[in-house]
Amino acid sequence: MRKFLTLALTLSAALTATATAAPVTLTYWQYDYASKVDTMNKLIAKFEAQNPDIKIRQETFPYDAYNQKVASSVPAGQGPDVVNLFYGWLPQYVDSGYLQPLPKADFPVKQIENSFVPMVQTSKIGGQYYALPTSVRTLALFYNKDLLKAAGVLTPPRTWEDFIAAAQKVVKGAPPRFTTLGFGIQPDGQDYHVVREVLVRQFGGSPYSKDGKQVTYDSDAGVKAMNFYTDLYTKYKLGTPNFFPGNNSYRDAFIAGKVGMIIDGSFAVGTIQKGAKFGWGVVPLPVFKGNGVRSNFGSYWVNGITRNAKGEKLAAAVKFLKFLTSEDTQRTWLQAVGEIPASKKLANDPGLRRDPVYGPFVYALPFAHSTLFVDEAGQRKAWVDAINSVILQGGSPANAVKRAAADEQKILNGYYK
Amino acid sequence: MATTSDLRGRRAPARSSSRPSSLRRHQIRTAYTFLLVPLLFFLVVRFIPTLTALRLSLFDWNILKEQQPFVGVENYRALLGDEKFGQALKNTALYTLIGVPAQLALGLGIALLLGRIRALQGLYRALYFAPYVTPIVAAAWVWQWVFSPQFGPVNTFLMWLHLPPQAFLTSPGQALPTTAALVVWQNLGFQVVLFLAGLAAIPRVYYEAAEIDGASPTQAFWKITWPLLNPTLVFSVVTGTIAYLQLFTQVVNLNFTDQGGPLGSTMTVALYIYQLAFGRYQMGYASAITVVLFVIILLITLLQLRFLTRRYDV
């Protein structure tokens, strides 16, 4: 009898459980990057344990095809409920109605701006937030301690003047045959960001109007920035683009120990850590002796909720997004993936700021600017072509800036028409 | 085509009778039925997308936009003022003008030489054919190293000869010929095989007769080999031209971070279409270029077939 009773009880309990809480299943998309996928699987397991009524299904795609995959799921009305996007793609996805604004009750604008680092404000479109990051990335200077020491440079440069002097001591060979580079110059690497978001600002200009609709680097500061950057190649002969064949020329050459310094993002730390067989270090991007203005380029990947998530799914997606952007998750992400936290509080953590590798990236967070791209590929091409017209064809920096500005403004006009 | 009519000719000896026999009718019906299956496949994967592209080219079709407004010939009008398209078109023409004659001359030359050797002929053929079966991406990778201004063996060689090192793929002036050289090198094996087959099809008796008549090897080449090789030449030129007009993979992989660069100097029409469609989602505009490229290829092919194909008597 007791046996029967327990059986009946468990049975009815099971029945009511399934009746009241059929689990909601959410689909989450991100691009395929081993440490990110593994970490996300662990985070999903943790989230599901906390929320037994929600199931998350993670789907990943190769990086090169990711944006295409997301874009082609839009018109078909298919795809994920929660999606990982590059912040620069946001205007297109907001414009297409693919993302829904984050519910204001759950994500108040004030609270977001108080708790996240300033560059996150780039993803505020029309006064509303559509997505939030777990982590962010900034740029810093990687240097080869052994090469610098051998050349007699004992402290890594803090100013651009020292940077040039150090690089000149390291560089071996001359164009077009270098054997060692002082600086791994690569316009289509991170360098075009450096010219646009770092140098233009350090020369007292600003690259875009506040609303991002107007190009404003066609200015004295813009010309000075272009001049300074292209001089590294034409005047100081610190190095050459595409020194190594391949897709990540400057980084591969640095890892091979053939380059004194490169400018790269925090996302490169893992690769360099794994590959470099010499002493290397990271310092913040240099400043100019005269003014000391600091600037950096920040970028990040965000998680947004697509229009597919409605009703129960939306409520679950909100919970999942809160979990993904929580400080706990950010800490896990830093330890497992190596991307720096997007939270102001964590970024001010003294331990993190003193970290020899991540410190310089975290240091840059308060003055890191990010640019909203309406056509990432097209806008990059405008800059890369402008820089190349100076270093490969001997054009004037002033004309190059004018040309980049005209090309990019045309793209912006086409989008904001 | 020739083989089908041959078969039909052989299998249907009753040419005198005006009505086909029932067996023959049956055979025809079977042939149509079997032809229909691949035709349906072709319709679905070739013709329908082609017609869709034609339709899309009349719209401002951006896959990230909610509205895809009809714009008529606006995309085509925009093409006229598009400098980058102009450059891509010019580059594509240059690739064709460099590549097709080069691979034809080299392919024929090597095939003629291979025809003369006896020992190790198979090995030589295999070696020439190897690049053709090498994956393009791998070949492009090797090419980047071989022509690296810093470390490349080509520059090392030039320096031995006391010649100045060259920038090759990193120079806007040299990147296109260097890319074309990669394509020629890769296609060479195929061209050689093609010409070997073409040469083998020429009956030896003509050469024997020429020898008896006292013709020099040069005369024999121009009077016998060249005219009798015409079908092979036409095939090589027509398919080669089409391949160069659609050039894409090599260009993409030789400069992955600045595709078609530096400064657009290696950009091809096909790559430009790809970038517009799948990088910037301007499907309508990209479709308009597809249509233009299609028309160009069609016209050139028709002209080539018209002027290159010759009737010849020996």
Side-chain angles (χ1 to χ4, degrees), chain B residues 2-310:
Chain B
T3 31
T4 15
S5 61
D6 271 5
L7 279 173
R8 211 176 56 189
R10 231 174 287 144
R11 296 242 170 109
R15 256 187 210 163
S16 51
S17 87
S18 55
R19 300 187 61 196
S21 68
S22 77
L23 177 64
R24 182 151 156 63
R25 269 209 308 272
H26 185 72
Q27 282 176 339
I28 292 175
R29 223 177 294 137
T30 314
Y32 275 118
T33 318
F34 275 91
L35 282 172
L36 195 66
V37 180
L39 184 66
L40 275 177
F41 183 73
F42 240 73
L43 277 176
V44 173
V45 305
R46 287 276 182 189
F47 292 106
I48 294 175
T50 308
L51 293 176
T52 312
L54 194 60
R55 197 178 82 86
L56 278 192
S57 72
L58 304 175
F59 290 81
D60 182 9
W61 195 290
N62 184 324
I63 61 171
L64 281 176
K65 296 264 166 75
E66 298 241 55
Q67 304 287 325
Q68 319 291 3
F70 178 81
V71 291
V73 293
E74 193 44 53
N75 282 329
Y76 293 94
R77 198 174 304 150
L79 265 185
L80 293 177
D82 186 344
E83 277 172 43
K84 287 186 177 137
F85 174 66
Q87 192 182 16
L89 211 54
K90 198 184 106 198
N91 289 345
T92 308
L94 269 175
Y95 279 119
T96 315
L97 290 174
I98 297 173
V100 174
Q103 71 185 31
L104 194 135
L106 287 171
L108 182 55
I110 291 170
L112 286 169
L113 290 175
L114 277 176
R116 295 188 173 223
I117 61 168
R118 290 285 166 266
L120 296 178
Q121 198 189 34
L123 177 72
Y124 271 85
R125 284 188 194 192
L127 287 179
Y128 279 110
F129 200 64
Y132 187 69
V133 289
T134 306
I136 297 176
V137 179
W141 190 256
V142 171
W143 214 251
Q144 277 189 36
W145 274 104
V146 170
F147 285 94
S148 159
Q150 320 296 331
F151 314 100
V154 179
N155 261 349
T156 312
F157 184 68
L158 285 179
M159 283 168 77
W160 283 345
L161 300 176
H162 296 283
L163 291 169
Q166 300 297 315
F168 295 117
L169 289 165
T170 55
S171 139
Q174 297 175 7
L176 189 144
T178 312
T179 309
L182 166 65
V183 190
V184 170
W185 171 74
Q186 275 211 292
N187 286 350
L188 202 55
F190 180 69
Q191 298 292 325
V192 168
V193 170
L194 200 66
F195 285 121
L196 281 175
L199 290 171
I202 301 174
R204 307 291 320 159
V205 287
Y206 295 138
Y207 293 105
E208 283 157 16
E211 215 171 311
I212 291 166
D213 288 347
S216 71
T218 325
Q219 279 175 319
F221 176 80
W222 288 114
K223 299 284 177 193
I224 302 170
T225 314
W226 186 255
L228 285 179
L229 211 52
N230 184 271
T232 316
L233 288 169
V234 173
F235 180 79
S236 164
V237 169
V238 171
T239 54
T241 307
I242 293 174
Y244 277 95
L245 291 175
Q246 296 179 342
L247 190 61
F248 176 79
T249 321
Q250 283 89 347
V251 182
V252 165
N253 287 291
L254 278 176
N255 194 341
F256 202 81
T257 44
D258 181 14
Q259 294 178 342
L263 287 166
S265 61
T266 58
M267 179 67 79
T268 63
V269 177
L271 176 57
Y272 191 49
I273 291 171
Y274 173 79
Q275 288 183 343
L276 286 169
F278 298 103
R280 304 165 72 170
Y281 308 119
Q282 299 175 5
M283 296 290 169
Y285 191 52
S287 297
I289 304 181
T290 314
V291 172
V292 171
L293 183 62
F294 171 77
V295 172
I296 291 174
I297 293 179
L298 186 69
L299 284 179
I300 290 180
T301 307
L302 288 177
L303 283 173
Q304 283 176 337
L305 288 176
R306 169 91 179 69
F307 288 106
L308 291 177
T309 316
R310 295 185 190 286

Side-chain angles (χ1 to χ4, degrees), chain A residues 64 67-68 71-72 74-75 92-93 95-97 176-179 186 188 240-247 258 307 375 377-378 380-381 384-385 388-389 392-393 403 407 411 415 417, chain B residues 60 62-66 81 84 141 144-145 148-152 155-156 159 165-167 170-172 253 255-264 267 274-275 278-282:
Chain A
D64 293 331
N67 193 17
Q68 272 173 43
S72 56
V74 181
Q92 291 176 307
Y93 286 108
D95 203 50
S96 66
R177 290 280 268 194
F178 288 95
T179 49
Q186 189 73 32
D188 51 8
T240 181
N242 302 310
F243 178 56
F244 264 32
N247 304 343
K258 297 270 182 200
R307 65 173 172 212
D375 171 0
R380 176 176 60 224
K381 189 129 188 66
V384 171
D385 281 356
N388 276 340
S389 75
L392 297 182
Q393 292 184 318
R403 173 186 165 160
D407 280 0
I411 295 172
Y415 179 79
K417 72 185 168 201
Chain B
D60 182 9
N62 184 324
I63 61 171
L64 281 176
K65 296 264 166 75
E66 298 241 55
K84 287 186 177 137
W141 190 256
Q144 277 189 36
W145 274 104
S148 159
Q150 320 296 331
F151 314 100
N155 261 349
T156 312
M159 283 168 77
Q166 300 297 315
T170 55
S171 139
N253 287 291
N255 194 341
F256 202 81
T257 44
D258 181 14
Q259 294 178 342
L263 287 166
M267 179 67 79
Y274 173 79
Q275 288 183 343
F278 298 103
R280 304 165 72 170
Y281 308 119
Q282 299 175 5

Side-chain angles (χ1 to χ4, degrees), chain A residues 43-247:
Chain A
L43 286 170
I44 286 173
K46 190 173 156 195
F47 177 75
E48 285 177 343
Q50 287 168 10
N51 301 275
D53 53 336
I54 303 174
K55 289 262 165 289
I56 311 282
R57 193 173 62 213
Q58 177 178 214
E59 288 175 9
T60 60
F61 304 93
Y63 179 81
D64 293 331
Y66 187 68
N67 193 17
Q68 272 173 43
K69 184 74 195 166
V70 177
S72 56
S73 78
V74 181
Q78 296 164 339
D81 304 297
V82 178
V83 65
N84 192 235
L85 297 171
F86 185 59
Y87 82 96
W89 300 337
L90 280 178
Q92 291 176 307
Y93 286 108
V94 169
D95 203 50
S96 66
Y98 183 56
L99 289 177
Q100 43 181 313
L102 303 180
K104 279 198 171 129
D106 298 295
F107 299 96
V109 171
K110 253 230 166 84
Q111 195 192 318
I112 292 176
E113 285 171 8
N114 283 335
S115 51
F116 283 89
V117 295
M119 69 166 119
V120 170
Q121 288 170 30
T122 314
S123 49
K124 182 160 81 174
I125 294 170
Q128 281 181 309
Y129 280 92
Y130 285 80
L132 284 174
T134 301
S135 61
V136 292
R137 301 104 70 94
T138 57
L139 301 176
L141 189 71
F142 290 78
Y143 66 99
N144 182 323
K145 280 184 188 167
D146 300 0
L147 274 183
L148 258 62
K149 203 184 278 169
V153 183
L154 298 179
T155 48
R158 298 281 168 178
T159 64
W160 286 114
E161 289 83 354
D162 292 346
F163 167 85
I164 292 172
Q168 277 181 315
K169 284 186 192 151
V170 174
V171 64
K172 287 202 188 78
R177 290 280 268 194
F178 288 95
T179 49
T180 306
L181 303 189
F183 171 54
I185 188 171
Q186 189 73 32
D188 51 8
Q190 296 300 315
D191 289 4
Y192 76 98
H193 294 305
V194 174
V195 185
R196 195 193 47 190
E197 281 295 356
V198 179
L199 290 172
V200 169
R201 287 181 198 273
Q202 288 187 333
F203 278 110
S206 100
Y208 302 95
S209 64
K210 241 188 166 151
D211 59 6
K213 293 182 185 172
Q214 289 293 324
V215 164
T216 53
Y217 54 74
D218 185 10
S219 63
D220 193 34
V223 176
K224 276 184 186 158
M226 181 65 88
N227 222 344
F228 176 81
Y229 178 75
T230 50
D231 270 357
L232 300 179
Y233 176 86
T234 51
K235 186 168 157 197
Y236 299 109
K237 301 181 173 44
L238 303 180
T240 181
N242 302 310
F243 178 56
F244 264 32
N247 304 343

Side-chain angles (χ1 to χ4, degrees), chain A residues 1-18:
Chain A
M1 182 64 198
R2 243 179 63 197
K3 233 181 201 170
F4 175 76
L5 207 68
T6 17
L7 191 71
L9 273 173
T10 15
L11 208 69
S12 66
L15 278 172
T16 40
T18 43

Side-chain angles (χ1 to χ4, degrees), chain A residues 12-35:
Chain A
S12 66
L15 278 172
T16 40
T18 43
T20 50
V24 182
T25 302
L26 292 178
T27 307
Y28 177 73
W29 276 15
Q30 69 166 337
Y31 67 86
D32 192 3
Y33 190 85
S35 64

